Each structure stands twice: as structure tokens, then as C-alpha cells.
Amino acid sequence: MMRLPQLLLVFTFAISHLVCLTSAQGNTYLFHLCRGVNDTRNSTYQNNLASLLSSLSSSNFKNSGFYNLSQGRGVDLVSAIALCRGDISQSDCQRCVQSSTVDLPQRCPLQKEAIVWYDNCMFRYANRIILQSPEEPGPYMYNRNNVSDVGRFNQALYNLLPGLQRQASSGDSQKKFSVVDTNYTNHDKIYALAQCTPDLTEAQCSNCLGQAFTYINSYFPGKQGARVLGASCIFRFEIYPFYQTSAPPPSFSPPTLQPPPTAPPTGDGSNKIRNIIIAVVSTVGSVILIVCVFFLLRLRKRNERLATINETGSRESLELDFGTIRSATNNFSDYNKLGQGGFGSVYRGKTCDGQEIAVKRLAKGSGQGDFEFKNEVVLLAKLQHRNLVRLLGFCLDGLERLLVYEFIPNGSLDQILFDPAKRAILDWERRYKIICGVARGLLYLHEDSRLRIIHRDLKPSNILLDEEMHPKIADFGMARLIVVDQTQGNTSKIVGTYGYMAPEYAMRGQFSVKSDVYGFGVILLEIVSGQKNSCFRVGQTAEDLIRYAWKCWRSQNALNLADPAIIDGPRDEIMRCIHIALLCVQENVTARPTMASVVLMLSSFSLSLPVPSEPAFFNDSCADAKQPDSAHISSNYSINDVSITELDPR
């Protein structure tokens, strides 16, 4: 299956000088993806594909702009979908689709699954049924220019999204398409477009667009324009009209016709009218000035209040009643207990409206835990990303300290990855999805959120997997908030987990975003190998995971590291992930890539990677899984047990 959510290749393009698009410009190539198993040129599949492309190219094009064809059966099945933008003419649609049937096979000559986007249409084919199979949005593009007033722009943009989503998803089986515009200043407008493939249900279309809208804050906040491309839906907004529509009905009532005056006004009448106009304009101007001053003062007070927010964040919106939580967990019954750690216990619960929750209950009397509790609340309350666990609320009641999260049904990554019986469900496709999701979550923490956060305890047990195996980074008790321009910090209190700590942090207390990059590199090697870094084995021999990976890389046998369960996966992807991991665990801090570079490396296979330098080998023992070894930084234990939370879904 095509991993669109993982292939988020960011393109920037200069569009501020454009006012409208011609039909020729509308056929502009945007992006393509080649996925799936390679095939031979003269195979039955390729013959079926050629026949299907010929049929689509010569077919009669309907006004709906949506086309679905299939050819062959079984392993030789070819299924194709073409979708034209809902506002273009039938002739422009035909030209775009016919061009794509020639272009895409040339871009992906052997792969069995491919997709291409143009400004006017999208075309895809695969060796499986793709009709009525919704997929998440994928690549995105944005205008490099920023708006001058981000707050006002975002408010106007978010106000138009519900109507855009509702209108597009409520379309029929022929077309699910919507365009809207709105003013965000007296003279400036926002124009937006949304479209789904019409084979989707209303709920599926709405869900796809909802996911596309989340990209605004995550990937292009404050930009003048952007677009999200997807196999199931597309979304775009700009500050200029980019779509073709007939003249829309006026959004205001037409002026009432007045009879012409019977005689021209006299001079005295003109003076009176002029005086009235001056008085009215002065009054209106004064009112507007007063209103502006009032709102500026309120905005200033709000900013001051946000700047001085206390440790527990916004209590009014997040604080929950203890009795409600106790009832949801059946009085914290052992049956609902998911795990136990140094922090306390984690319980599964269900609210009165049916929502499943996970409740972390702080061990009573733990002063250290109180600090971590407040730290998580103030950080998580301000973080919103699909690859971060979502905080729903908290409770302070006497000695009780509770954190309430969304319930993640598949537990933590380590429970599946390191379990010989469960590991098989993590094929390469799922592992790659997890790798890319964790990378995007870290990128958000480091660069894209309005805070800049270093997690400091990234490890598989702090990566939770939802029902679709999408990863969510959890446990921010050890996280550190740093100022935006700060590059690194120092601490005398080392917190985190042995084996995932960067050497400069474990030995000298120096932490930075590159510390998290190091931990990500270790996790990446664990996901590829299917073994813990703290007790990695080759046959019956205990090895150090990083040392062994480097040894295999130097001898050009990197695939020896791969878990046998994924050895049938695409070798180029596996090799590339090992390469990226070794770049992340380099001893030289400055040589490690940023998470923005890592996301780009994972997304663009045309991007050449630098040669990694030697990692720091300071993990020299395979510690007992039950006893932390104080002589070596190698065991899979947190120095501060607050972040050890084992989840076991029931």
C-alpha cells in the first residue's frame, strides 16, 4: 500500500506574482510517487497496464471528471483512478488525464503502484483495488512568503474551513468539490479549494480533509498559500483567486433603486448634506478608533497573561473532576490497570459519553513526580500534533495528581517490536510508517511548534501505536523547554534512559535538539534489527547494536543488521534507513542532521546522503534486563523512573 503520509516532501514555490492560471499553467506537473514491487517490462501486469492506459486515454470524458478503470485479475490486476479538479472544463480535464497516462509510466517505468499530481488533475494506478479505499493526505507544498498578520489570517482561514469541508464532503457520487473565499482584511481575501474522490462516503471525505487541515499548523503556519496533495483528497488555499468559477452570486443584498430627484439640490442643501456627511464620518471614525484601541488593549492583556501562565497551564479548560475520573476507571480497579512505573500507575477508563481514556495516576508522596506532573501539563497542553499523544485533561485533588490522555489501543512500540510472537505483525511497511511518524513528531517539537522542546527520553516504550499503527510520542516528564534561538543547554541532573542518551549529554550534561536526533537514530536501528540496543545479539554472541551496525556498514554488509521478518522488504529503503540512523548517532554533534533534514531524507529518495562518520562507542555491555549496570551506560532503564510506563492493552 502506498505510504503517502510518510512521504511528506516539502516543496516551496514562488507564486506571489501570479494573479490567475491559464489552462496551460493548470497542466503544470506538481509531484509523483513510485511505490510497490518492481515488475518486468513484458509481464502480464505491464501488458494489462498498457491496455488500461490506452482505454483511459481514448475514452469519452464526462463532466464529472472522475474515472475508474481496472484490467486483469489476481496478481495481474491493474486498478486506476483519474480525478480532475472540479472547476476546470471538460477539454482541460481530458488534456490533463491523457497527458498523465503518458507521463506517469515514464516516471515510474517498472513499479506496480504510482501516482502523479498536476494542477488540473491526479492520476494513479496500483496492483490492488483502490476504489473506495481512502488514504491519508501526503505531500504538501507552500508559498515561501508569510502573511503580515498571522493571527487575523489564521482566524479567517479557520473560519472558512468547516464550510469548505462540509460542502465538499456532501457532494454526490459524481463530484465532491468545493471552493470558498473570505475577507481577512478590508482589501485582502483568502481563496480555498477542497476536493475528494467521489467514491468516498461523506464521512470518509470529511475525515480526509480534516487530516489535511491539520497540516496548516504543523507544516506551513502563517504562509500566504499552500496545498496538500493526496490520493483521496486535496486541499489548497491562496491569497489570490487560483480556481476557475463562473461569477458567483453576490454575498450582499443589491441596493434598492431610488427614484431620481425631481430637481437638482440647491447650494444650501449641498452644504447641509456635506456637513451631515462630515459629522457621520467623524463619528464613525471615532467609534472605529475606540474599538481598535479596545481590542489592542485586550490583545496586549491576553499576551501578557499567556506570557505569565503558571505551571499548571490553563486550568479552566483542562482541569477535570476527580469523581468523574474515578468513575471512568471503576475506582481505579486492578482490572483496568494497564501498567506500573516509578511515576505511578496507568489505568484504562471510559467516560460517560463513551470516550476511552488512559489515566496516569501519580504515586502519592512523590515530590519529584509532582514536578514532572506539572511539566507534562504545561507542555502537552500547548502541543497539538497527530504524532504526539494528546492530553485531554488533568486533576488536582488533595494528594491526587492525575493526567488524562487519549487511549492508544496498541500500547507501546517496545511491547510489539521486542516480542518474538508479536513482531511478525510489524512488516516493513508498518515499520517505515512508524519511523516517518516519529520523525515528524520530533520535527514538530524541535521546529514547528510555538514552543521549542527537547524530549530527552525518546525510546520505544515512549512511542505509542494507535489502532492503525500510527506512532504517537508520549511521556514528556523529562522534556525541556528552550528559547527559540537557543542551540543547546547544560544540566547537572542527567535524566533519560541509558542506551538512548547522546554521549555529550550522558557524560557532560550538554543537551540540544541533536540529543533527540541521537536517540531517534538508536530507535531507527532497533526498528530495523528488531532487537533492543541494550542486549543486541548476533547468534549467541552479545554485541553492541551501534558498533555492529557500523561494522556492517564499513564492510558493505549493512543488510546483515536487518530483522529476518523484514528481509523481503524493499532493500533500498532498509539500507537508506540504516544510513540515516548512522548519520544520527555520529559522535560529532554538528555532523548529525536536524530532524527537518531527516524527514526530507526519508521522503525524497532522489536526495543523496552524506557519508556517516564513526559513532561514539560507549555502550560496551549487555546488561541484565532486570538490573541497571552503573558501570556502563548500556541498560534500558531511565535514570529517573518517572518515564518508565509500561502499557499493556486489554
Side-chain angles (χ1 to χ4, degrees), residues 327-348:
S327 175
T329 59
N330 194 21
N331 198 23
F332 305 101
S333 69
D334 289 340
Y335 177 79
N336 286 327
K337 193 172 184 178
L338 297 175
Q340 177 82 36
F343 179 97
S345 302
V346 179
Y347 297 86
R348 181 176 181 174

Side-chain angles (χ1 to χ4, degrees), residues 393-539:
F394 71 97
C395 176
L396 295 167
D397 187 88
L399 296 178
E400 293 286 356
R401 301 289 186 269
L402 305 171
L403 287 170
V404 181
Y405 297 97
E406 60 178 328
F407 176 71
I408 310 297
N410 282 322
S412 56
L413 172 62
D414 65 316
Q415 294 175 328
I416 300 177
L417 182 63
F418 303 138
D419 186 326
K422 297 179 181 178
R423 185 187 305 160
I425 68 173
L426 288 180
D427 57 14
W428 176 247
E429 183 178 356
R430 288 193 174 99
R431 295 191 197 198
Y432 194 77
K433 179 191 294 185
I434 292 167
I435 290 167
C436 293
V438 174
R440 289 197 302 271
L442 277 180
L443 174 60
Y444 173 78
L445 291 176
H446 290 177
E447 298 185 23
D448 294 338
S449 69
R450 56 194 183 95
L451 307 170
R452 191 174 191 183
I453 292 171
I454 301 173
H455 190 279
R456 295 204 300 175
D457 198 20
L458 194 67
K459 57 184 178 180
S461 61
N462 285 340
I463 297 170
L464 306 183
L465 302 175
D466 68 12
E467 61 277 1
E468 296 180 358
M469 291 296 181
H470 294 144
K472 291 180 180 286
I473 300 173
D475 233 321
F476 287 79
M478 300 295 100
R480 281 292 292 268
L481 172 66
I482 62 175
V483 297
V484 173
D485 296 327
Q486 184 179 354
T487 57
Q488 70 174 34
N490 289 79
T491 181
S492 58
K493 180 183 178 182
I494 309 298
V495 296
T497 304
Y498 291 131
Y500 302 92
M501 292 183 192
E504 71 279 0
Y505 177 52
M507 297 175 182
R508 298 185 295 276
Q510 297 175 352
F511 63 89
S512 66
V513 292
K514 298 296 184 72
S515 308
D516 282 350
V517 171
Y518 182 93
F520 174 80
V522 177
I523 293 173
L524 187 43
L525 291 176
E526 289 184 322
I527 292 174
V528 170
S529 67
Q531 294 193 53
K532 294 182 180 180
N533 73 309
S534 61
C535 200
F536 178 78
R537 291 187 176 275
V538 180

Side-chain angles (χ1 to χ4, degrees), residues 31 100 110 165 172 181 191 265 292 311 349 369 387 412-413 429 495 507 521 527 532 566 572 631 641:
F31 188 54
S100 68
L110 296 178
Q165 182 181 25
D172 56 26
D181 62 73
Y191 299 84
C292 289
E311 286 182 314
N387 293 120
S412 56
L413 172 62
E429 183 178 356
V495 296
M507 297 175 182
I527 292 174
K532 294 182 180 180
I566 62 167
D572 55 340
D641 284 345

